[in-house]
Amino acid sequence: MKILILPDRDAAVASCVALIADALTDKPDAVLGLATGGTMEPVYAGLLDRTRAGQVSLDRMTSFNLDEYVGLSPEHPQSYHAFMQERLFAPLKLEPARTHLPRGDAPDPVAEAARYDAAITHAGGIDLQLLGIGRNGHIGFNEPSSSLASPTRVKTLTRATREANARFFGPDEAVPRFAITMGIATILRSRHAVLLATGAAKAEAVAAMAEGPLSARCPASALQMHPKVTVVLDTEAAAGLELRQYYETVHPQGQEVTLV
Ligand code: F6R
């Protein structure tokens, strides 16, 4: 795991945006795995800025989002389809055929999950998978106790996740109980995983992910088995890391250092 600790949230977001932009510069038709949630909002804003400045183009990429709530249509304002449309796809006028999310309103969500996993494989697999992390250590919606060998499937959300995400829903709206999520095995198949975590609320989960035992108690710990992971943190999210000094020596200020 490459752990980059940046001085603050803005610097961590900028570092994450740069990793995505570099991947697209190297391979303009890259397959990106995308995430939603509060952590990702400034990342997509940063990508829009870079696109408008002519520094990067997303026109030729293909994307697969991690997850979608079961029961929500793409038009539902709290669906992850709507989140992505609003923050990235519509502003960039991306071709709908290139941007994929599981259909939350599919008549058979179990079959939809299997179809989605196969579609990722058919597209050649994911070059760069963007990830956030839940306070309970989930990645995608792989909640604690998820099989570390899981494919894309339907998962029941924990009460903690539903409470954490209630802020995106109206006071009279219930957070859905189920989601279709890429599985841990799906995520581990990506060629590069980039996890961004910012803020003190994520410190415990980040420490469990990077330095705790490999365990379904913290599904993100499965990333210890991924051959190429970059974890981008601000100092608050890094606060629980015992080996922090080592990470800061290897990558001072979250920067790459030359080996000679
Ligand atoms: C969203 C997703 C989740 C979030 C995580 C953190 O597509 O897969 O794993 O990344 O719940 O969410 P925020 O960023 O809202 O704290």
Side-chain angles (χ1 to χ4, degrees), residues 35-40 66-67 80 131-134 138-141 165 167-168 202:
T36 57
T39 312
M40 295 302 146
L66 280 165
D67 38 24
Y80 285 164
L131 297 166
I133 185 168
H138 72 212
I139 45 174
F141 274 135
N165 289 3
R167 69 191 195 280
F168 295 110
K202 299 296 172 67

Side-chain angles (χ1 to χ4, degrees), residues 15 44 52 57 64 76 87 109 113 124 128 132 184 193 211 220-222 225 228 230 252:
S15 167
Y44 296 137
R52 287 173 180 148
S57 167
F64 287 90
H76 190 288
R87 288 165 179 84
L128 185 150
I184 299 285
E211 296 177 344
S221 68
M225 299 290 289
K228 188 175 179 190
T230 306

Side-chain angles (χ1 to χ4, degrees), residues 146-256:
S146 285
S147 158
L148 302 186
S150 48
T152 302
R153 71 208 182 294
V154 176
K155 275 299 292 177
T156 308
L157 302 180
T158 58
R159 191 195 296 175
T161 294
R162 294 178 70 218
E163 283 171 3
N165 289 3
R167 69 191 195 280
F168 295 110
F169 288 77
D172 301 330
E173 284 177 312
V175 181
R177 292 180 53 217
F178 304 101
I180 297 175
T181 180
M182 280 189 204
I184 299 285
T186 321
I187 293 169
L188 292 181
R189 275 202 301 274
S190 60
R191 287 181 271 279
H192 183 190
V194 174
L195 185 142
L196 173 66
T198 52
K202 299 296 172 67
E204 205 178 312
V206 165
M209 165 190 72
E211 296 177 344
L214 176 65
S215 162
R217 185 71 189 81
C218 176
S221 68
L223 293 171
Q224 294 173 19
M225 299 290 289
H226 193 297
K228 188 175 179 190
V229 185
T230 306
V231 177
V232 185
L233 305 171
D234 64 3
T235 48
E236 289 188 352
L241 292 168
E242 280 179 22
L243 304 179
R244 178 171 169 180
Q245 226 178 6
Y246 171 68
Y247 310 134
E248 289 179 331
T249 308
V250 181
H251 299 293
Q253 300 280 311
Q255 301 305 307
E256 296 287 348

